[in-house]
Amino acid sequence: MAQHSSTPFPLVIVGSGPAGVSAARAYVDAGGPGPVLMLTSDVDHPYERPPLSKELLRGTAEPEPTVLEDLPDAVELRRGVTVTHADLGARTLWAAEEPIRFERLILALGARPVPLPDVEADAEVHLLRSFADARRLVTSAGHARSAVVVGSGFIGCEAAASLALRGVETTLVTPDEVPQQRRLGRAAGERIAEWLTGAGVTLRTGVRVSGIEAPRTIHLDDGVTLAPDLILAAVGIEPGGGLLEGTELTVHEGRIVADEHLAAAPGVWVAGDVARAHHAVAGRPIPVEHWGDGPRHGRGRRAQRGPHRGRRAGRRRPGLRAGPRGDGGPGVPAAVGGRARVLEHHRRAHAQARRVGRRPRAGPHGGAHRRVHSLVHGRAGPRGGRADLQRGRGLRARAGAGVGPGCRGRRPGPSRPCMTD
């Protein structure tokens, strides 16, 4: 499927995560012209990331990547390729000094984990983003008796619970008074803390890491020193939009600014973690660092009036329409991550409803909303609270359908532009 460098590809996708793969499949399914070129710096075939901090780290899954989905035959995948710069005016990317011309471009660049500051160069500190990272982490966990996870975001909480459940004495260190307090609020953070301690995690809250010495000695700002067998830093991500600094695209804190249709410039779309897209219902950009957003963003790039799609397809909303969903996996790690993300959606939606003077409603899927409400506001309710968690049910995707007044998942606005026109 190789194409001469002077011939532009009808579509080039940069990134092989869920957003990129969903975009490729949606584009091909809608009858978009090919061939499609997908470029990725990852050396593995596209894979699912949620198992990296859950089943894989717990030791309940084989140390092999869970294939995301098979790419269509019309897609050429080039792995281990890094895009170094771009000239959007000339419709050209450069990868290893090779010019790659395109007619349409989807930037699904993802993000990379932020390293801890004040770490000695030869200190052994793990990061977790790719399958290669997970492979190294699982190998170390297999020989570790103790571990320290720095950071109480989604990845930190899931990884800490997974390490504890595989029998590693795990401590989670966070500057927050409760995990994810700044993101979800204290009430939800206290419940996450209960889930973590129930899994066997020791919490050290309200403290920061002042430095790490080789090989694995952690100094905290309260004077405590820890010397675990394994250290994992999960203190946030840095979106990969810096590559486009200096182009005609607008980049804000590493994210590429786009409209509600995820269009960043004529013929250029963004998807996934790198997108800072305007949300038509909330009236502001809402980046949510959740794996479920990637496929929705990618599907939002499909050709809406491609062959056999009809008028109804032309009115479908872009991938931003749906909110975070529960992961639905078994045990604490899935619940900690999936439920926390739904709690965040719930909090944002209710805050938006209060701002516009409306009473938050349960909407057509009231049962799921009531269970989320019980987790946020401290009332168990029917089939809610920790019983659901212990059964590992996770909330359905439609529990987070939309962000806006009443959590009703409205679909306003015109249809988005067609990429195959």
Side-chain angles (χ1 to χ4, degrees):
M1 195 185 295
Q3 186 157 325
H4 194 274
S5 60
S6 64
T7 304
F9 285 88
L11 175 64
V12 171
I13 301 172
V14 184
S16 63
V21 171
S22 289
R25 179 163 292 283
Y27 176 84
V28 172
D29 288 349
V36 176
L37 176 63
M38 177 177 288
L39 305 172
T40 177
S41 58
D42 208 317
V43 297
D44 291 295
H45 194 83
Y47 54 88
E48 294 184 2
R49 295 188 188 275
L52 303 185
S53 58
K54 301 185 185 78
E55 295 89 347
L56 191 66
L57 188 53
R58 281 204 309 269
T60 59
E62 293 296 323
E64 295 293 334
T66 303
V67 176
L68 193 60
E69 60 178 301
D70 292 331
L71 291 171
D73 293 337
V75 178
E76 176 187 346
L77 174 64
R78 297 185 190 177
R79 295 181 284 173
V81 174
T82 300
V83 176
T84 55
H85 57 289
D87 184 342
L88 300 184
R91 299 309 228 205
T92 305
L93 304 173
W94 278 266
E97 301 305 319
E98 177 191 355
I100 299 172
R101 299 180 60 206
F102 62 87
E103 297 176 3
R104 305 168 185 84
L105 176 65
I106 295 177
L107 297 168
L109 298 163
R112 52 185 174 272
V114 176
L116 284 170
D118 301 317
V119 177
E120 290 188 353
D122 52 350
E124 300 173 12
V125 180
H126 288 274
L127 301 173
L128 182 56
R129 186 69 178 177
S130 67
F131 183 77
D133 295 334
R135 186 186 292 114
R136 290 187 291 267
L137 180 60
V138 169
T139 299
S140 295
H143 304 288
R145 292 179 296 178
S146 61
V148 170
V149 177
V150 183
S152 61
F154 298 140
I155 297 299
C157 289
E158 293 167 359
S162 295
L163 287 167
L165 289 175
R166 70 178 292 154
V168 178
E169 184 180 330
T170 304
T171 300
L172 187 144
V173 175
T174 176
D176 294 338
E177 292 301 321
V178 294
Q180 304 203 41
Q181 180 176 359
R182 287 174 291 179
R183 183 189 293 267
L184 303 178
R186 188 170 188 87
E190 288 174 349
R191 277 165 174 72
I192 294 173
E194 292 177 6
W195 300 340
L196 289 168
T197 54
V201 178
T202 299
L203 299 180
R204 295 193 63 87
T205 59
V207 295
R208 298 178 182 273
V209 174
S210 57
I212 299 180
E213 295 179 1
R216 296 175 300 277
T217 301
I218 303 179
H219 299 288
L220 306 181
D221 63 2
D222 62 356
V224 173
T225 297
L226 304 173
D229 299 325
L230 182 154
I231 302 173
L232 171 63
V235 294
I237 61 170
E238 180 183 359
L243 168 68
L244 282 304
E245 293 277 7
T247 68
E248 52 263 50
L249 301 184
T250 302
V251 180
H252 178 82
E253 296 179 348
R255 286 189 167 92
I256 300 170
V257 177
D259 64 16
E260 62 266 34
H261 307 299
L262 300 177
V268 180
W269 291 264
V270 294
D273 287 335
V274 78
R276 179 180 171 84
H278 182 80
H279 195 291
V281 177
R284 58 189 173 89
I286 301 183
V288 180
E289 297 156 4
H290 178 228
W291 69 271
D293 282 345
R296 284 189 287 270
H297 285 192
R299 288 192 295 270
R301 307 281 52 78
R302 70 189 305 159
Q304 290 304 305
R305 296 187 185 274
H308 313 297
R309 292 295 166 182
R311 295 176 58 196
R312 180 177 179 131
R315 293 195 296 268
R316 291 185 63 177
R317 294 293 300 143
L320 278 171
R321 68 183 181 271
R325 61 174 292 173
D327 293 329
V332 175
V336 167
R339 289 295 182 85
R341 294 179 176 107
V342 178
L343 294 179
E344 178 179 17
H345 159 74
H346 174 87
R347 180 183 64 80
R348 287 181 174 184
H350 279 242
Q352 174 71 6
R354 287 193 296 272
R355 279 195 295 272
V356 299
R358 296 192 181 191
R359 179 181 178 184
R361 300 178 182 177
H365 309 295
H369 275 274
R370 282 192 294 272
R371 290 196 289 276
V372 177
H373 194 279
S374 71
L375 291 171
V376 175
H377 300 295
R379 295 188 292 275
R383 297 179 294 170
R386 294 189 67 187
D388 266 357
L389 165 70
Q390 292 164 352
R391 286 191 291 270
R393 289 182 173 177
L395 297 181
R396 297 182 182 275
R398 58 179 179 267
V403 177
C407 310
R408 289 179 291 179
R410 297 181 176 183
R411 300 181 179 180
S415 63
R416 57 187 175 279
C418 173
M419 287 202 315
T420 63
D421 289 343

